[in-house]
Amino acid sequence: MHKISRQVLIFVFFLFPLVNQCKLNLNNPSDPTSKAFFETFLWRLYLDSFCDPNVRGNFILGSGNALILPMSIKVLRSGNTVVSLVSGEPIVWNGNSLGTNNNHTNSVLNGVVIVIDKSFSKILWLDYIGEMSYGVDDWPQPETISIAEYSNGDIGIFSLVNGSGRSNTLNNKSVTNAFFAARYKQSDGSVLWQGYLNKDNTRFRFNNYGMTINDFDQMIITYNTLTENTTPTQDAIGLSYFALPAPNITTNATFASQSEIGIAVINPDGSGSKQSFLPNPGLTTEPLFVKSAGDKILLAGNTTNNFPSFSGHPLPDESRVFYGVANSSLSFETTGYYGTNESTQETKLQNLHFAANQLFFVGRSFANQSLSSTIHPFQGTSGRRNYIFIKPDLYSANALWIQYLGSSSYNVPEILPGGLVYNSLKNQMIGNLLAVDNGNGFTGIPDGISSGSIQYPLGQTRLKFDPSSGQFLTIQYYNGTNDLSGNDGGFVASQVEACSGRMVTLRSLFATVATVSSNRRLEITTRPASEEP
């Protein structure tokens, strides 16, 4: 046992009797006056002592004859790692392919959740959460199967599923595609509660949803509403779920096929708390990510118009990035918008990373929006697709800096499978990106920071930059396949820091680029921090 673990245990041993003498016994781990607050504080302190920066381990899942799509990854405070994925075949783990509670069904895409022990030596449990054959995006957002951690280490799961619903639920599945929400015990995968949030399948989109857990152990859920494709009507129903009241406001519903934001809160015991909408008069609003900080809800995505009372959209009727801070009443306190004001030149968010109480966005932009803090300008003329990096102020939503990475002669790829990760040991942000398709390097890069080269298809780029200023530190190019035909390849699909610079990485593996959209395996790997490139 690590030295810090022994110190924590001694601390807990002497302090816990004092906690037990506390007169209040409120079940609120975020209320400083409650006994649960102190118990949760001690538990978190103890759990935080577990992470070892020198762990090494590797798992490869799948036969290579079916599609496996990696989704979310999170290192828990216990040191265990939880991974979500979508698989077209049963996953063999610890000698079998059965789920802890449910099995893979009907030889179609199924949602999967896996927990790996802190030493990366074995899979503790695996469960199938339901069929997902309704049409998952080819390059889905990680939140397609959202995972988050409760204050006591339990795991929250949220996803859209179809097929037969589970039994013993708080709320039964009553529509073809329904949102599945559950609270799992981390140690053995037993279900503490589970239920389905139902909604008319013609009134919401099957992507652009997500979940986080706030400091009060509540699930915060967002999803994308949709009006009828003929005569639009306002949505006053929201989600149908156990003890969940009706929304307190309606959607805007100005246009046919208009999409807006729905939001709901689920209590720690699985009962519904409240729900609402965040209306927008634009045709398309996409809530891609939801996070929490204290009692605030952080939402980011893309929108074609201003939210009521919050102006600043660069060009209404065209898609730009938005970031909003909502309160516990489920209404915005502030909203910011980012992107060019040039017509027909979209700016779209594709991924974000929330770490060290900081937010970092990455997406694509076809034209320039420079600030005085922009160090790396837009490459090429308007219409040339660049990567765009944005750091907003967490609470004011003001853009602290905006940087670009691109080529004056070639577009960067439209897809972004890898995203961003923070390395706390080096205080660096890392972007795992696809390089320009023809293997050429990016332009406008300062001398002395680029290394490597690309000879084969699906070239990769590892960008490191300063989180404070956005200044690029290094750019490393490397091959994503092993020959000119694009065989035996892989790419970083997601990455997260375990502790002190040690990363846990999800890599999609494929036999050839010709089958990358149909046959993939998944590698989950970690190595000592000192070996990270």
Side-chain angles (χ1 to χ4, degrees), residues 19 65 89 103 145 150 188 195-197 255 259 284 294 312 315 353 367 388 395 399 431 437 439 470 510 523:
V19 173
N65 297 318
E89 64 181 355
N103 298 326
I145 304 178
Y150 286 93
D188 60 8
Y196 294 92
L197 295 90
F255 304 102
S259 56
T284 304
L315 194 65
H353 190 67
I388 184 173
Y395 296 110
D437 287 341
F510 53 89
E523 180 182 43

Side-chain angles (χ1 to χ4, degrees), residues 482-494:
N482 281 343
D483 58 33
L484 289 173
S485 298
N487 294 317
D488 190 20
F491 56 85
V492 175
S494 187

Side-chain angles (χ1 to χ4, degrees), residues 138-340:
D138 291 337
W139 299 95
Q141 295 290 345
E143 281 66 21
T144 301
I145 304 178
S146 297
I147 50 180
E149 185 176 10
Y150 286 93
S151 61
N152 70 346
D154 292 343
I155 299 171
I157 298 169
F158 179 74
S159 187
L160 184 69
V161 299
N162 59 302
S164 301
R166 292 184 173 189
S167 57
N168 300 317
T169 63
L170 294 175
N171 201 69
N172 292 332
K173 186 173 181 289
S174 62
V175 292
T176 301
N177 301 323
F179 291 112
F180 173 73
R183 181 170 180 168
Y184 279 71
K185 190 174 180 180
Q186 183 183 150
S187 60
D188 60 8
S190 56
V191 175
L192 301 175
W193 60 258
Q194 58 187 347
Y196 294 92
L197 295 90
N198 298 298
K199 187 170 182 62
D200 181 343
N201 280 191
T202 66
R203 298 306 303 270
F204 73 98
R205 295 191 183 278
F206 297 164
N207 54 8
N208 305 335
Y209 58 83
M211 178 274 293
T212 189
I213 293 174
N214 66 13
D215 286 355
F216 301 93
D217 273 351
Q218 295 172 311
M219 271 191 180
I220 310 296
I221 291 165
T222 56
Y223 64 99
N224 215 175
T225 69
L226 186 66
T227 61
E228 299 88 342
N229 58 13
T230 52
T231 303
T233 60
Q234 293 179 325
D235 190 339
I237 298 174
L239 298 168
S240 174
Y241 181 71
F242 167 61
L244 186 64
N248 54 3
I249 60 174
T250 65
T251 58
N252 178 277
T254 302
F255 304 102
S257 301
Q258 180 178 352
S259 56
E260 301 177 69
I261 302 175
I263 184 168
V265 179
I266 305 299
N267 290 319
D269 64 0
S271 62
S273 174
K274 53 191 169 184
Q275 65 174 320
S276 188
F277 298 104
L278 296 165
N280 187 296
L283 176 62
T284 304
T285 299
E286 302 168 328
L288 301 182
F289 302 94
V290 58
K291 305 293 180 183
S292 65
D295 62 347
K296 305 302 181 185
I297 303 168
L298 317 178
L299 295 104
N302 304 303
T303 185
T304 56
N305 213 327
N306 294 298
F307 288 93
S309 302
F310 297 101
S311 60
H313 192 287
L315 194 65
D317 296 330
E318 295 195 14
S319 184
R320 300 295 184 266
V321 178
F322 84 87
Y323 167 58
V325 180
N327 54 34
S328 58
S329 298
L330 307 186
S331 59
F332 276 134
E333 293 184 344
T334 188
T335 302
Y337 310 91
Y338 321 102
T340 178

